[in-house]
């Protein structure tokens, strides 16, 4: 039944929905029986490799289906060759977020090689020629391997030392949605909000820092679109009367209250204000 659900190699590149359904079907089987399903597990593994190397996932539905199935199955004896005893899958440029997420989940569940999965993602985050994959690998490490002592040190280093601004921004964001309760994180985010040479990185750092203050209104003021979501605003960009007016509407507060909140944020990370304010 499961084999009949599977797409061929060409189909899975264009549409991975059937692959996700098949993984979900496998998760419905009693885990101790999976070790006998060599043909099915072998075919699922090979199609997964094909998709991770060449496919795409716009809505994350196949990704989530596969990840949920692996989590449901848990750590078992996977009956076909898999990492670390064979090469890791190659990353598709169309799956920068999906790829490290699934590697994290699968290495911690059905492939039962979390240490090797962690090391592979560290290599992706530092050595990949694709900046988006480097950033997404950092995010996956922060989410799935947060308790590994090497993870926080790596993310902190990349937030300061990485020459590519996109990668620094990803590291700053990872320190803020995963290590925000660490006092060192708060200090680093504040410093990068002031010192980083890239405006988008300064914005990411300001937004992350505002989140550590645990005051929702400050995170809203630190967001570029005053919605409390990324991207963050560059603290060197002057706060204008229009910004204050929009914040009045967004937060349902008076102009005086909004100005007081901006001053509270500015006391932590210096902001500039337009002359007409």
């Amino acid at each position: 039944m499961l084999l009949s659900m599977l797409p061929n190699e060409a189909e899975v590149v264009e549409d991975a929905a059937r692959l996700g359904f098949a993984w979900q079907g496998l998760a419905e089987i009693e885990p101790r029986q999976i070790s006998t399903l060599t043909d099915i597990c072998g075919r699922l593994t090979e199609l997964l490799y094909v998709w991770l190397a060449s496919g795409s996932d716009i809505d994350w539905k196949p990704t989530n289906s596969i990840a949920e199935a692996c989590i449901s199955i848990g750590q078992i004896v996977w009956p076909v060759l898999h990492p670390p005893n064979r090469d890791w899958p190659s990353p598709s440029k169309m799956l920068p977020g999906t790829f490290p997420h699934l590697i994290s989940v699968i290495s911690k569940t059905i492939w039962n090689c979390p240490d090797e999965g962690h090391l592979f993602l560290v290599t992706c985050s530092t050595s990949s020629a694709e900046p988006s994959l480097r950033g997404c690998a950092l995010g996956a490490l922060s989410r799935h391997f947060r308790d590994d002592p090497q993870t926080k040190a790596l993310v902190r280093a990349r937030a300061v030392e990485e020459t590519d601004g996109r990668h620094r921004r990803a590291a700053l964001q990872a320190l803020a949605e995963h290590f925000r309760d660490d006092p060192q994180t708060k200090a680093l985010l504040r410093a990068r909000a002031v010192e980083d040479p890239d405006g988008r990185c300064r914005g990411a750092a300001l937004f992350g820092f505002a989140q550590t203050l645990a005051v929702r209104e400050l995170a809203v003021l630190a967001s570029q679109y005053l919605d409390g979501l990324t991207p963050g605003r560059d603290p060197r960009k002057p706060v204008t009367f229009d910004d204050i007016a929009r914040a009045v509407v967004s937060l349902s507060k008076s102009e005086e209250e909004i100005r007081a909140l901006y001053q509270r944020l500015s006391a932590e990370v210096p902001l500039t204000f337009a002359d007409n304010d």
Side-chain angles (χ1 to χ4, degrees):
M1 177 67 75
L2 285 176
L3 286 174
S4 67
M5 296 172 59
L6 290 172
N8 60 39
E9 283 79 356
E11 291 170 337
V12 78
V13 171
E14 300 297 329
D15 181 9
R18 284 167 59 192
L19 180 62
F21 290 146
W23 277 92
Q24 288 286 332
L26 185 69
E28 296 177 4
I29 297 173
E30 209 286 323
R32 288 174 295 183
Q33 296 182 11
I34 291 178
S35 62
T36 67
L37 303 178
T38 305
D39 290 344
I40 292 173
C41 292
R43 187 64 178 150
L44 284 171
T45 298
E46 294 310 315
L47 288 175
L48 179 66
Y49 266 66
V50 171
W51 180 59
L52 287 176
S54 306
S56 63
D57 187 1
I58 297 174
D59 56 15
W60 276 65
K61 288 181 180 178
T63 296
N64 290 333
S65 294
I66 296 169
E68 289 167 4
C70 292
I71 292 170
S72 177
I73 295 168
Q75 293 183 336
I76 61 169
V77 178
W78 192 245
V80 295
L81 193 65
H82 61 83
N85 297 315
R86 68 174 288 185
D87 290 340
W88 292 90
S90 300
S92 167
K93 290 184 178 181
M94 301 298 291
L95 296 171
T98 285
F99 182 84
H101 174 64
L102 281 180
I103 292 297
S104 299
V105 171
I106 294 175
S107 67
K108 295 179 72 173
T109 55
I110 61 171
W111 287 349
N112 198 12
C113 56
D115 292 342
E116 292 84 355
H118 178 268
L119 179 59
F120 175 70
L121 288 174
V122 168
T123 301
C124 287
S125 72
T126 57
S127 303
S128 173
E130 181 58 43
S132 59
L133 177 59
R134 296 205 306 271
C136 291
L138 273 181
L141 285 166
S142 300
R143 178 179 180 184
H144 297 284
F145 297 92
R146 182 181 185 276
D147 294 333
D148 188 296
Q150 296 181 13
T151 298
K152 182 171 67 174
L154 173 67
V155 178
R156 285 177 57 83
R158 297 273 63 79
V160 177
E161 300 169 6
E162 172 61 42
T163 57
D164 189 293
R166 291 169 294 180
H167 196 195
R168 284 201 312 283
R169 189 162 70 251
L172 290 164
Q173 291 169 344
L175 282 171
E177 300 200 64
H178 300 293
F179 301 100
R180 72 174 64 172
D181 295 332
D182 188 324
Q184 292 181 325
T185 294
K186 185 175 181 179
L188 185 147
L189 290 172
R190 184 189 185 283
R192 299 317 297 172
V194 175
E195 300 169 5
D196 199 284
D198 183 279
R200 289 174 296 181
C201 290
R202 292 194 298 270
L206 176 66
F207 181 69
F209 176 80
Q211 289 178 300
T212 70
L213 300 176
V215 179
R216 186 187 72 86
E217 291 86 353
L218 297 184
V220 170
L221 297 186
S223 63
Q224 183 172 322
Y225 300 111
L226 294 171
D227 55 6
L229 302 172
T230 57
R233 67 172 293 134
D234 182 356
R236 295 184 188 176
K237 182 179 179 181
V239 177
T240 67
F241 179 80
D242 287 341
D243 291 328
I244 294 173
R246 288 198 301 272
V248 166
V249 175
S250 179
L251 293 174
S252 299
K253 292 184 178 294
S254 69
E255 179 180 332
E256 291 73 18
E257 290 174 312
I258 294 299
R259 288 181 180 275
L261 284 169
Y262 269 118
Q263 291 295 340
R264 181 175 175 182
L265 183 60
S266 184
E268 299 282 356
V269 177
L271 304 177
T272 58
F273 295 84
D275 291 340
N276 63 343
D277 293 332

